[in-house]
Amino acid sequence: MGPLNGIRIVEIAGIGPGPMAAMLLADLGASVLRVDRPDVVEAARQGADRPHMTSGRPMLGLDLKSADGREQARHVIAAADVLLEGFRPGVMERLGLGPDDCHRDNPGLVYARMTGWGQEGPLAQRAGHDVNYIALTGALHSFGRRDSAPVPPANLVGDFGGGGMLVVTGILSALVERQGSGTGQVVDAAMVDGSALLLSMMHEDRGRGSWSDERGTNYLDTGAPWYDVYECADGGYVSVGAIEPQFYAQLLAGLGLADAELPDQWDAQRWPELRERFAAVLSGRTRDEWADIFGDTDACVQPVLTLEEAATHPHLAQRGTVRHADGQVWAGPAPRFSRTPGAATRDPAATAPSVAETLAAWGIPDAVDGTTAT
């Protein structure tokens, strides 16, 4: 049933990190009801592809620009434990669904707001995307090789790491606090804040003089030859992450360089020389040959797999980390729980509860009338 069984969440439709956060909460057992535009919900009911990361959750179509739609939304929100929304600051207030409005009906509501820039500040009303948020915090500057332009790490750091994961942390924290106070509160989760938080170790290292603002020169950003990616004979790649001395020794042994005259591991001035030696050896075998050589060692060497390959890797398959069926691939629930395991709402075999079933379980079977639902 999942550790969040019994928690009721209203998700106001959004894109990217909002649906991901709702997906994580649903995987953990929460009852999540997504409120979207009636035309989107009707299209899904007719068989159109659902919005990204919304599979397995009931969808309720409400026109929040109409008085009737807003009134029905307030009725549903009044029965919820959590509201999750991702509009620009002020939008929900203009709809009459802001925190003050909702807390009058439901004082215990955890009102979670996720935006790029936050609820206040000079940029609060500006548009933006992941790449913009991580650019401003310095995170984007840190991705890429020396003497080359920064490389956006897809939208993993701002949207999903600094946004989705942090708003879930905020929601769970507020729910725990509510157990004592009995009162809800507003969670202001900004992707710019979250991505800055993810840089904590780099800030500490920089303060100690062990991290440089010069991209591609540090021990975790492709500067160190023993923490990087190398091309193999077949055009595939292997990842090398042999930081600790005992792991580094096993790396050298697997490469046949245990007795070679090499620069000291931490002599940054001679890292280019060491990199050339590693690259020359690693280019002599295929990716999978190196995977076999290092498979039973602690050298911290693993093949770089495609998304398709990852779905069939023995370790990931045995744990159910990545699953696949009928041409579909999806991630399993995380983290794991010993007594109350979650379940992946994206599993094609899973059956999503209907809106009627969800509202009945919430104790408000007559809450919504004349709307589109799936």
Side-chain angles (χ1 to χ4, degrees):
M1 298 291 285
L4 295 184
N5 181 45
I7 297 296
R8 298 168 293 190
I9 299 174
V10 172
E11 170 199 2
I12 304 298
I15 60 174
M20 181 190 179
M23 178 189 80
L24 293 175
L25 294 164
D27 281 1
L28 296 179
S31 175
V32 182
L33 177 64
R34 179 178 171 90
V35 174
D36 210 330
R37 300 195 318 270
D39 61 308
V40 173
V41 177
E42 177 60 21
R45 193 178 70 82
Q46 296 294 336
D49 288 339
R50 291 173 60 114
H52 295 300
M53 294 179 291
T54 65
S55 298
R57 302 198 293 280
M59 294 172 61
L60 173 65
L62 292 178
D63 180 7
L64 297 183
K65 294 182 180 180
S66 72
D68 183 60
R70 292 193 295 273
E71 180 58 30
Q72 293 185 70
R74 286 186 64 163
H75 195 31
V76 174
I77 294 167
D81 297 291
V82 178
L83 172 70
L84 173 62
E85 65 95 2
F87 292 136
R88 292 195 204 190
V91 171
M92 290 291 279
E93 283 82 352
R94 290 193 293 274
L95 291 172
L97 297 172
D100 291 342
D101 305 297
C102 293
H103 280 145
R104 276 194 292 270
D105 299 329
N106 184 355
L109 181 71
V110 172
Y111 196 111
R113 322 192 77 168
M114 181 167 51
T115 59
W117 304 113
Q119 294 300 308
E120 72 281 322
L123 297 178
Q125 292 295 331
R126 293 279 290 275
H129 280 295
D130 175 289
V131 70
N132 308 124
Y133 312 136
I134 67 172
L136 212 62
T137 62
L140 179 57
H141 179 84
S142 302
F143 291 102
R145 297 192 177 277
R146 188 174 188 174
D147 299 324
S148 66
V151 178
N155 63 336
L156 298 179
V157 176
D159 279 354
F160 298 137
M165 294 294 187
L166 266 294
V167 78
V168 168
T169 301
I171 288 170
L172 299 181
S173 300
L175 287 173
V176 170
E177 191 279 338
R178 191 184 68 170
Q179 291 178 343
S181 68
T183 305
Q185 60 183 303
V186 176
V187 177
D188 175 7
M191 294 169 223
V192 69
D193 297 344
S195 59
L197 186 64
L198 295 176
L199 290 168
S200 294
M201 189 178 78
M202 284 69 184
H203 283 302
E204 290 183 14
D205 282 349
R206 189 170 179 272
R208 297 185 180 117
S210 57
W211 189 276
S212 169
D213 276 343
E214 184 179 358
R215 185 171 46 257
T217 65
N218 301 289
Y219 68 104
L220 294 177
D221 67 351
T222 75
W226 33 263
Y227 200 92
D228 205 348
V229 173
Y230 289 89
E231 186 172 3
C232 304
D234 59 345
Y237 293 86
V238 292
S239 64
V240 176
I243 302 175
E244 292 82 358
Q246 66 273 29
F247 304 150
Y248 184 67
Q250 293 192 49
L251 169 66
L252 297 185
L255 295 176
L257 297 174
D259 297 322
E261 292 187 8
L262 299 173
D264 180 77
Q265 179 186 0
W266 288 91
D267 184 353
Q269 296 299 317
R270 299 185 65 185
W271 277 351
E273 178 185 343
L274 189 57
R275 180 182 304 280
E276 289 183 7
R277 297 291 297 274
F278 288 176
V281 175
L282 288 164
S283 66
R285 296 179 185 269
T286 67
R287 181 197 70 177
D288 292 345
E289 286 174 334
W290 285 119
D292 289 339
I293 289 171
F294 287 107
D296 292 327
T297 75
D298 281 338
C300 301
V301 176
Q302 293 292 341
V304 177
L305 303 182
T306 65
L307 294 176
E308 182 66 28
E309 289 173 321
T312 59
H313 187 275
H315 180 83
L316 303 185
Q318 190 275 327
R319 286 183 56 81
T321 301
V322 182
R323 308 175 183 190
H324 62 102
D326 301 325
Q328 298 186 54
V329 177
W330 67 97
R336 311 295 175 88
F337 297 86
S338 62
R339 291 189 298 103
T340 56
T345 54
R346 301 158 301 291
D347 188 336
T351 301
S354 68
V355 169
E357 292 169 334
T358 299
L359 294 179
W362 289 19
I364 47 171
D366 60 343
V368 179
D369 180 50
T371 56
T372 303
T374 187

